[in-house]
Amino acid sequence: MKIPWLRHNFLARRTLDRWFLDPPDALIRRLKGRGDLPPYSLRSFVGGAENFEEAGRFFLEDFLQQGLVSAGTTILEIGCGCGRVATSLARDERIKAWGVSYSGMDVDEASIAWCAKHITRWNPLFHFYHANCYNPSYNPSGVVAVDSYRFPHADESLDLVVLTSVLTHVLPNELIHYLGEMSRMLAPDGVVYASFFLSPILAEADNGRHAFSFPVKRENHAVNREDFPTNAVAYEERYVRRVVQEAGLQVLEPVRYGSQDIMLLTKPIASIELREGWYELETNTWRWTTRSFGVKVKRRKDAFTLRFRFRIAEALLENDRTLRLSAAVGESRLQAVNYSTVGEHLYVQKIPPPALGEEWALIHFQIESAYEPATEDRRELGVQVIFRRGLRPLCPVSIT
Ligand SMILES: C[S@@+](CC[C@H](N)C(=O)[O-])C[C@H]1O[C@@H](n2cnc3c(N)ncnc32)[C@H](O)[C@@H]1O
């Protein structure tokens, strides 16, 4: 029997799930020794009843691969639900060893209650709080307008802000407000990791990539249902790019398109100030054919993440050229990457702990492009080297 209203009313469906599906799910979980998972009604409420752990693992590994989490990272997850991401992070031994701290916020009180009761026990640096914001799908009795909500975090205090399947449930005025808040809270080198339903133009919002259709077209966005607009919201990509920029953030290319489209956002290079533990080549530009340069860093005993940020101008990639970046720490070569898209890029590598007695790390970069500039060609490539806070490059940067 089809009861469409129930299917689309998330809270009514959760009540039914709680009555009819939680008891058998609890039994099955107990038999499988998985009493530590949230009940079915909570997993299903955030769209993750079946792939709860798999999705959590994907995000953890993606954060690590992108170099977004390392020693001392402070994370805020907005719309953490019943802890799909938090669970996998909180129990990971690397995350524990690095002293990563995490705050999870959601408008759904039941999800937050579950996370606070279970996840903080597994990792005491993980905390959760409820924000009673109104969302017609997830918190219809909320009393605070999303576009007036101020997050209880200090300016520039967060290294990573995560929103998976959350900006897919907010309307434009709320999106704009959240971007402003994220820009306020983000450390100068911080990154926002957010998923969207993006479309080049709204007429193409039903592109087969996303699990929803978006028949109700509005200005700059489209929704799946008129009566529950926040059930699923798709945005025009150029609109998102515009409001991101207006919030003082920028997109780290490339956007990764999929069942949800993942964007990394950061503060533009110009707004990043030279701070203790950072060295930037912001003002250095040079001819952008083959280049190499070295950075010498005083080592500490632990591993660290090296992040090298640079921009590729359109001219560099003319005629399907690619730019190849390779790096080495001492004798060990790091993974080389070929870049073939214009815009800002982030080259992230884990640098292993030093060998005994090794006091300095010399990191050597090599940029190669097949392009041979004419003598009168003045185009240049600007690069920037960024280290995680806490590292002090003593002999800053020597360019060879
Ligand atoms: C599809 S679930 C995703 C949950 C979680 N991020 C995950 O990936 O498992 C959407 C979540 O966003 C929350 N949410 C909806 N509107 C929100 C808002 N304005 N601020 C914060 N969270 C919100 C919902 O309560 C729900 O937990």
Side-chain angles (χ1 to χ4, degrees):
M1 185 175 57
K2 268 195 170 177
I3 313 175
W5 181 83
L6 264 187
R7 212 148 50 88
H8 300 295
N9 184 323
F10 291 176
L11 279 165
R13 199 177 62 189
R14 177 159 79 180
T15 305
L16 289 183
D17 284 351
R18 202 176 273 154
W19 290 343
F20 299 109
L21 297 178
D22 277 0
D25 177 70
L27 184 64
I28 293 168
R29 282 189 291 115
R30 197 162 316 134
L31 289 175
K32 286 184 171 171
R34 297 313 317 269
D36 54 348
L37 287 176
Y40 180 90
S41 57
L42 291 184
R43 301 196 319 271
S44 162
F45 191 62
V46 297
E50 277 76 39
N51 67 350
F52 189 83
E53 290 189 291
E54 188 189 330
R57 268 197 302 274
F58 165 82
F59 288 118
L60 167 62
E61 290 309 322
D62 202 29
F63 298 159
L64 293 173
Q65 208 175 354
Q66 308 273 339
L68 302 177
V69 181
S70 55
T73 300
T74 51
I75 305 176
L76 167 65
E77 184 177 7
I78 299 177
C80 61
C82 59
R84 194 161 56 155
V85 176
T87 301
S88 70
L89 264 69
R91 299 175 122 174
D92 186 85
E93 291 306 325
R94 294 161 291 185
I95 300 287
K96 284 184 188 165
W98 289 334
V100 170
S101 60
Y102 166 104
S103 302
M105 166 274 198
D106 204 288
V107 302
D108 177 46
E109 201 166 7
S111 294
I112 286 295
W114 190 91
C115 292
K117 184 169 171 202
H118 296 85
I119 300 177
T120 308
R121 235 179 24 214
W122 301 329
N123 186 331
L125 293 181
F126 278 53
H127 297 283
F128 298 86
Y129 63 94
H130 175 234
N132 198 11
C133 294
Y134 173 74
N135 180 304
S137 311
Y138 289 96
N139 189 21
S141 57
V143 293
V144 180
V146 172
D147 62 5
S148 68
Y149 179 73
R150 189 176 163 88
F151 287 82
H153 301 274
D155 296 359
E156 300 196 346
S157 59
L158 302 169
D159 297 314
L160 175 63
V161 181
V162 176
L163 308 99
T164 57
S165 307
V166 176
L167 298 178
T168 47
H169 303 286
V170 302
L171 298 170
N173 56 324
E174 302 168 339
L175 169 67
I176 290 171
H177 178 72
Y178 270 15
L179 287 170
E181 276 291 275
M182 291 191 274
S183 178
R184 175 183 73 75
M185 297 184 287
L186 210 58
D189 55 328
V191 172
V192 174
Y193 183 107
S195 70
F196 293 87
F197 293 131
L198 295 175
S199 148
I201 50 167
L202 289 180
E204 291 173 16
D206 300 334
N207 51 23
R209 206 169 68 230
H210 306 134
F212 292 89
S213 63
F214 298 96
V216 187
K217 313 282 188 237
R218 297 170 166 184
E219 203 180 343
N220 306 314
H221 70 293
V223 298
N224 175 251
R225 288 182 67 89
E226 190 80 63
D227 51 355
F228 291 101
T230 50
N231 276 14
V233 187
Y235 280 99
E236 240 176 27
E237 182 168 337
R238 67 181 160 195
Y239 173 75
V240 172
R241 286 179 178 274
R242 175 157 66 77
V243 292
V244 160
Q245 194 182 10
E246 285 169 0
L249 295 170
Q250 77 178 95
V251 177
L252 278 172
E253 307 291 355
V255 175
R256 288 178 290 160
Y257 300 100
S259 56
Q260 291 204 11
D261 309 314
I262 297 177
M263 265 190 174
L264 299 191
L265 312 176
T266 188
K267 295 193 169 170
I269 287 173
S271 74
I272 296 177
E273 286 163 24
L274 184 59
R275 304 190 323 169
E276 188 181 291
W278 287 69
Y279 192 83
E280 299 180 28
L281 289 173
E282 197 173 315
T283 52
N284 292 31
T285 54
W286 55 77
R287 295 295 295 273
W288 47 258
T289 179
T290 302
R291 252 355 268 206
S292 63
F293 61 94
V295 184
K296 198 176 175 189
V297 188
K298 180 117 172 95
R299 295 303 310 262
R300 301 190 316 184
K301 61 178 183 317
D302 45 353
F304 69 94
T305 304
L306 174 75
R307 307 168 78 202
F308 172 60
R309 186 148 68 167
F310 60 101
R311 175 178 288 282
I312 297 183
E314 205 162 329
L316 186 59
L317 300 177
E318 275 164 14
N319 304 326
D320 297 331
R321 288 190 201 96
T322 57
L323 179 140
R324 181 176 171 80
L325 180 71
S326 54
V329 185
E331 297 298 300
S332 8
R333 300 215 139 270
L334 303 176
Q335 193 193 351
V337 183
N338 288 317
Y339 294 91
S340 55
T341 51
V342 168
E344 191 97 338
H345 292 273
L346 202 56
Y347 175 81
V348 184
Q349 291 294 325
K350 290 251 167 284
I351 311 294
L356 209 62
E358 197 182 49
E359 241 199 298
W360 297 88
L362 181 62
I363 301 142
H364 182 256
F365 289 93
Q366 177 96 9
I367 300 175
E368 294 165 41
S369 88
Y371 179 72
E372 277 302 321
T375 355
E376 69 278 11
D377 194 329
R378 304 289 307 157
R379 290 177 293 194
E380 290 177 325
L381 167 72
V383 298
Q384 178 185 49
V385 181
I386 299 177
F387 292 96
R388 305 280 317 153
R389 275 177 294 160
L391 275 170
R392 287 163 193 253
L394 289 186
C395 153
V397 176
S398 55
I399 300 173
T400 55

